[in-house]
Amino acid sequence: MINIFDGAMGTIFQQMDILPQGYCPEMLNIDNPSAVTDVHKKYVDAGSNIIETNTFGASPIKLSHYNLSHMAREINIAAVKAAKKAATNKAKIAGSMGPTGKFIKPLGELDFEDAFENYKIQAKALADGGADYIIIETSIDLQEMRAALLAAKEVTNLPVICQLSFSEDGRTVTGTDPQTAAITLDAMGADIIGVNCSLGPKQLVPIVKAISENTEKPVSVQPNAGMPQLINGRTTFPMTPSDFGDWAPKLVQAGATYIGGCCGTTPAHISAIKKALLNVKEPSFKPLRRRLMLSSRSKTVVIDKELPTVLIGERINPTGRKKLAAEIKNGSFMSVKKEAMDQVKAGAALLDINMGVGGIDQIQAMKRAITEISQLTDAPLVIDTSDAKVLEAGLRAYPGRALINSVSAEKERLDTFIPLAKKYGAAILCLPLTDDGIPKNPSERIDAMDIIIKTAKNAGLRDGDFLLDGLVMTVAADKNACNQTIETLHKYREKYGYPATMGLSNISFGLPNRPLINSTFFAMCLCAGLDAPIMNPYDETMQNALMASMALLGKDPNGRNYSKIEANMAAPKTAAVAKHTEMNPLEEIKQAVIDGDTDSVSVLVKNALEKNIEANDITEKSLTSAMNDIGVDFGAGRIFLPQVLLSAEAMRKAFTTLKENYPAAADSNKGTVILATVKGDVHDLGKNIVGALLENNGFKLIDLGKDVPAEEIVASAIKNDADIVGLCALMTTTMTEIDNVIRQLKESGNTSKIIVGGAALTQDYADEAGADFYAQDAVIALNIANKIVGK
């Protein structure tokens, strides 16, 4: 069955002229519920069989702007009641939960647990009010979506719809692509996965297709009626109902079975969808072959017998490494973060994270490690612990789909780890150990594996959730250790077809020339069915064995990659070390900023100053040059917002160190910027990102906040002799206020250059409004600001 959502509510409220300036739209549920019901009824009459409550901004955090947090439950229950009056028996009710408008740490200041509690309150109220679904929508950050989904699942039994918003580059603002979103949310238990807002139906067709190719869950889509335009001082959307309806069959063909509208859509648009889909059948899809797919916030890694081997970096483990253990114990994560970056550069596709240091709070250590490493690199993470509380802390903090290392056939481990894997959508590394100890032979390992897999599947895990450990013993103690591991791999492949892993180096313990033993064993295991070894990616011998094996096994067709690497056989370890040892001080500072190395950048700046390197050289050749490179990489889609923000924080620390050690730098700034979200608009997430980048890059920032009257913006620009005024509006209902501010700025005689931005704005809109510049994102805004003051 193809289900039809409703369209925009704000668009209709605006036409009805019932929202006074500065009024909370969700209060209509209490102050004027009949008006809300009337809008719902228009959509039901147009053909919607699912209507969304007027609660997009009715979470406690969002309502705090209006000092209405204490009314969150009352507002949400009233909203469901108003919708039910219109729905009768013709439509179901989807309780809408929108974004908080804040980023979760470390991208912003909002704690994950606070976001979780915020959504728990709203989801519980919507469920208690009688909603049929919970719909989490217009989210631009996968981590916030995870918090909302976990909250909804904890306090309700309702189906949950998860809809992210994607930009024109096919990713969310924080870098999540549709495949990664689908894999992560599917594993966590989302019932319907989709996309809404930001773009029109044409741009959303490929995104819907990508989602549908990576989940068997139903897919939803709610496009805008095109991109907004400013015509005669009014915000309009270009797509007519007929044009909009024409795209509905194409969205169904791409995989959507839940279709509606977002900004700019009206009952007429929904009626056009209904008409266009009258003779369109629900798409039929072949069941997906479930492969092991792990994700970070911005990348998916697939482990499969048909694909090249995936390396799991083992170096973030303090066992047997006194220096690393001491640093972690002292609260320093410099080596942890350096190992993360260097292992990825050396070829690790996943990173194993172990915080097993005695005498520390391992829960907090794991949470910190997962949080910081997941922002530094896009490699999916493996959470390595034997403590269920430490595991949950890591899983909760991780903005993706992690791998748990490990789940054995021991009862306590089965009882504690498998429910966590199910709750957080993690995959499990299955280790064939039992309460009786280590299995004596491959057949007993299979028996142990049967117990793990059966228990996991009974708990709801599925094919694609398992990585099987071959269990390596040392050949010096058992002459059959190698043969038993090889036989175990063959049995795994034959019986389960799941990918296999192992820690390789144990095979050579106690023997001389261990690299030779290890690399030979490695090649044998690759032939027997090893897919994801846990190893030191710096090991040249192992890397060479891997390259040769991939060519011989046909996973590097005709040895093309082998030949290319052989021609320039710089070993990964040598390359990684050289990058840090052969750079001069200015290059080291630049690289630290690019890597977002906030721990070491201050030390590097101090060292450079002690070597009599000029502060101006540090600023221009290291800091500014780094941010220029980051801007290029961001524009090219090689890095994403989390990395940009981390680099900006590293740059801020570098500037602070310069000012502390070079007083002349304390009085210098590039220019003064006034920043504000215009009156009537309470969204400030994008504005805050722009502010962070500007301030961390040496601008004097005066942030006036959100919902700022034009008169206040103009007065501040004149008082502070601003070089730049940055204006932000997210809602289509408040975009025209940008025109008002620009008009008043020009009438006042102010000569500040005006930059405008916001999710719904376009270059054409900015030109029509009279802005000097349009910034599509924060990095572009920074580049524009630098050009303005440069001139």
Side-chain angles (χ1 to χ4, degrees):
M1 175 182 176
I2 299 175
N3 292 277
I4 300 178
F5 283 118
D6 52 10
M9 294 202 75
T11 301
I12 310 301
F13 289 153
Q14 188 179 22
Q15 293 171 355
M16 295 167 67
D17 197 24
I18 59 174
L19 294 176
Q21 193 78 280
Y23 178 81
C24 173
E26 286 73 23
M27 274 301 291
L28 286 174
N29 299 320
I30 292 175
D31 294 341
N32 194 355
S34 61
V36 178
T37 298
D38 287 344
V39 174
H40 286 314
K41 190 173 187 305
K42 286 181 172 67
Y43 282 115
V44 173
D45 292 342
S48 298
N49 67 323
I50 301 176
I51 56 176
E52 295 186 32
T53 55
N54 179 36
T55 54
F56 180 77
S59 71
I61 289 176
K62 288 294 287 184
L63 290 172
S64 65
H65 177 74
Y66 302 99
N67 296 317
L68 294 172
S69 295
H70 62 287
M71 294 187 66
R73 179 173 173 82
E74 183 181 353
I75 289 170
N76 280 278
I77 289 176
V80 179
K81 183 178 179 182
K84 279 183 171 293
K85 285 187 177 179
T88 60
N89 61 348
K90 298 179 181 179
K92 299 289 187 180
I93 310 298
S96 170
M97 303 203 305
T100 61
K102 301 176 183 293
F103 274 136
I104 292 175
K105 294 176 181 177
L107 296 184
E109 296 302 316
L110 181 62
D111 188 82
F112 182 91
E113 297 306 325
D114 291 337
F116 175 76
E117 292 298 327
N118 171 72
Y119 286 119
K120 267 180 64 174
I121 292 170
Q122 187 177 16
K124 182 71 163 56
L126 290 167
D128 289 349
D132 301 294
Y133 300 86
I134 298 293
I135 180 167
I136 309 161
E137 57 183 341
T138 326
S139 180
I140 59 173
D141 179 32
L142 185 61
Q143 187 69 326
E144 184 177 59
M145 177 63 81
R146 290 182 70 251
L149 176 56
L150 285 169
K153 287 288 185 181
E154 182 163 308
V155 296
T156 83
N157 293 315
L158 299 178
V160 181
I161 306 167
C162 294
Q163 294 185 161
L164 289 158
S165 286
F166 295 86
S167 303
E168 289 185 273
D169 64 356
R171 290 180 179 268
T172 68
V173 167
T174 55
T176 302
D177 59 278
Q179 180 190 40
T180 297
I183 290 162
T184 305
L185 297 173
D186 183 313
M188 288 186 65
D191 298 284
I192 300 166
I193 302 169
V195 52
N196 76 297
C197 204
S198 293
L199 302 171
K202 179 180 180 180
Q203 294 88 352
L204 292 187
V205 166
I207 292 174
V208 168
K209 187 173 187 294
I211 293 173
S212 69
E213 289 173 346
N214 286 280
T215 181
E216 293 176 342
K217 301 289 180 65
V219 177
S220 63
V221 58
Q222 293 179 279
N224 289 345
M227 297 303 289
Q229 299 174 350
L230 181 63
I231 300 176
N232 298 324
R234 288 187 62 84
T235 303
T236 61
F237 286 82
M239 293 193 77
T240 65
S242 177
D243 292 338
F244 193 79
D246 287 344
W247 280 97
K250 299 172 186 176
L251 290 166
V252 171
Q253 186 178 8
T257 54
Y258 289 74
I259 300 181
C262 203
C263 299
T265 58
T266 66
H269 290 81
I270 301 306
S271 180
I273 290 176
K274 177 79 171 178
K275 181 179 179 181
L277 295 178
L278 280 176
N279 298 314
V280 175
K281 295 181 180 180
E282 182 179 350
S284 58
F285 298 100
K286 295 180 181 178
L288 298 177
R289 183 172 79 81
R290 291 197 168 274
R291 302 184 293 177
L292 178 57
M293 307 174 83
L294 304 167
S295 66
S296 63
R297 191 196 303 266
S298 57
K299 183 179 181 180
T300 293
V301 171
V302 184
I303 303 175
D304 187 77
K305 62 184 179 182
E306 297 176 358
L307 299 175
T309 300
V310 171
L311 299 188
I312 303 176
E314 67 179 6
R315 299 280 296 170
I316 305 176
N317 189 328
T319 304
R321 302 183 64 193
K322 293 182 179 179
K323 182 181 177 183
L324 180 63
E327 285 191 18
I328 294 172
K329 192 168 186 176
N330 292 331
S332 171
F333 276 56
M334 287 180 63
S335 293
V336 167
K337 292 193 284 188
K338 184 176 182 298
E339 287 284 12
M341 292 185 290
D342 286 352
Q343 286 187 98
V344 171
K345 291 172 188 173
L350 279 74
L351 298 174
D352 187 85
I353 312 297
N354 185 301
M355 290 288 112
V357 178
I360 69 168
D361 184 341
Q362 290 190 28
I363 292 175
Q364 290 304 314
M366 181 62 80
K367 180 179 178 182
R368 179 182 171 189
I370 294 294
T371 299
E372 296 195 16
I373 294 170
S374 64
Q375 189 162 337
L376 275 176
T377 174
D378 62 2
L381 302 185
V382 182
I383 302 176
D384 186 356
T385 180
S386 58
D387 187 316
K389 292 181 179 178
V390 174
L391 174 61
E392 182 159 23
L395 289 171
R396 206 165 176 84
Y398 185 55
R401 184 178 194 229
L403 174 67
I404 296 173
N405 184 7
S406 56
V407 177
S408 66
E410 297 160 294
K411 187 178 186 306
E412 182 181 356
R413 191 67 67 93
L414 293 172
D415 290 346
T416 55
F417 277 33
I418 286 179
L420 291 176
K422 175 62 178 173
K423 178 178 180 179
Y424 293 98
I428 61 174
L429 189 158
C430 305
L431 184 65
L433 297 178
T434 70
D435 288 316
D436 295 327
I438 300 172
K440 296 182 178 64
N441 54 57
S443 294
E444 290 187 5
R445 293 177 186 180
I446 291 292
D447 291 340
M449 199 60 71
D450 281 341
I451 294 171
I452 299 170
I453 293 172
K454 180 180 179 181
T455 305
K457 287 192 170 183
N458 286 341
L461 274 67
R462 305 163 295 179
D463 294 341
D465 291 341
F466 306 106
L467 182 63
L468 313 186
D469 195 305
L471 193 60
V472 180
M473 308 306 293
T474 177
V475 74
D478 181 357
K479 67 177 184 178
N480 293 316
C482 173
N483 291 331
Q484 288 182 344
T485 300
I486 298 295
E487 185 181 346
T488 299
L489 290 175
H490 282 302
K491 286 181 177 291
Y492 284 170
R493 186 72 92 219
E494 180 182 344
K495 180 167 186 177
Y496 307 112
Y498 301 151
T501 185
M502 64 180 69
L504 292 158
S505 59
N506 199 42
I507 192 72
S508 63
F509 186 78
L511 294 176
N513 196 2
R514 293 186 69 186
L516 177 59
I517 295 287
N518 290 343
S519 61
T520 304
F521 177 61
F522 185 23
M524 295 170 69
C525 290
L526 288 170
C527 185
L530 175 63
D531 304 289
I534 302 172
M535 57 177 271
N536 178 356
Y538 309 145
D539 191 311
E540 299 175 27
T541 307
M542 299 289 278
Q543 287 279 14
N544 291 339
L546 176 62
M547 285 188 288
S549 296
M550 291 300 97
L552 293 169
L553 293 172
K555 294 186 178 182
D556 173 15
N558 306 115
R560 286 194 294 266
N561 290 333
Y562 173 82
S563 300
K564 183 171 62 176
I565 299 172
E566 182 70 21
N568 183 24
M569 189 62 82
K573 183 178 181 181
T574 303
V577 173
K579 190 162 191 178
H580 290 274
T581 58
E582 295 178 2
M583 292 187 288
N584 64 45
L586 291 174
E587 291 170 336
E588 287 182 325
I589 295 169
K590 178 179 177 179
Q591 192 60 47
V593 172
I594 289 172
D595 291 340
D597 191 351
T598 56
D599 287 331
S600 63
V601 71
S602 295
V603 175
L604 293 173
V605 170
K606 288 179 182 178
N607 291 342
L609 291 172
E610 289 173 359
K611 294 177 181 178
N612 297 317
I613 295 175
E614 293 291 332
N616 286 340
D617 285 341
I618 295 174
T619 299
E620 295 301 321
K621 296 178 181 179
S622 297
L623 307 184
T624 302
S625 178
M627 291 308 293
N628 286 340
D629 288 358
I630 288 164
V632 171
D633 285 347
F634 181 81
R638 289 188 289 269
I639 63 172
F640 307 104
L641 185 62
Q643 290 79 35
V644 173
L645 291 177
L646 195 61
S647 292
E649 176 62 18
M651 188 163 184
R652 183 190 65 78
K653 287 199 172 185
F655 270 129
T656 301
T657 304
L658 269 180
K659 291 177 181 180
E660 290 172 350
N661 293 272
Y662 198 87
D667 298 324
S668 64
N669 67 73
K670 291 183 177 180
T672 300
V673 182
I674 305 294
L675 209 56
T677 301
V678 297
K679 185 169 180 58
D681 202 317
V682 298
H683 301 86
D684 61 357
L685 188 56
K687 173 186 67 65
N688 293 344
I689 296 168
V690 173
L693 292 185
L694 290 171
E695 193 166 29
N696 290 347
N697 277 268
F699 285 88
K700 179 183 178 183
L701 179 70
I702 300 172
D703 189 343
L704 300 179
K706 54 193 174 184
D707 193 18
V708 184
E711 295 78 13
E712 183 179 341
I713 297 171
V714 173
S716 183
I718 295 171
K719 176 183 176 182
N720 294 284
D721 192 22
D723 300 282
I724 300 167
V725 173
L727 303 174
C728 177
L730 181 71
M731 298 189 299
T732 56
T733 54
T734 59
M735 287 165 56
T736 52
E737 181 63 16
I738 282 183
D739 309 42
N740 181 38
V741 177
I742 293 175
R743 178 180 55 77
Q744 290 195 36
L745 279 167
K746 293 183 175 179
E747 288 177 353
S748 72
N750 182 264
T751 58
S752 305
K753 294 296 182 182
I754 302 168
I755 306 174
V756 300
L761 268 67
T762 63
Q763 182 67 60
D764 290 342
Y765 193 103
D767 293 341
E768 184 72 23
D772 296 297
F773 301 95
Y774 162 66
Q776 186 176 355
D777 56 56
V779 175
I780 291 175
L782 173 62
N783 291 338
I784 292 171
N786 280 325
K787 289 178 182 177
I788 291 172
V789 297
K791 292 178 181 178

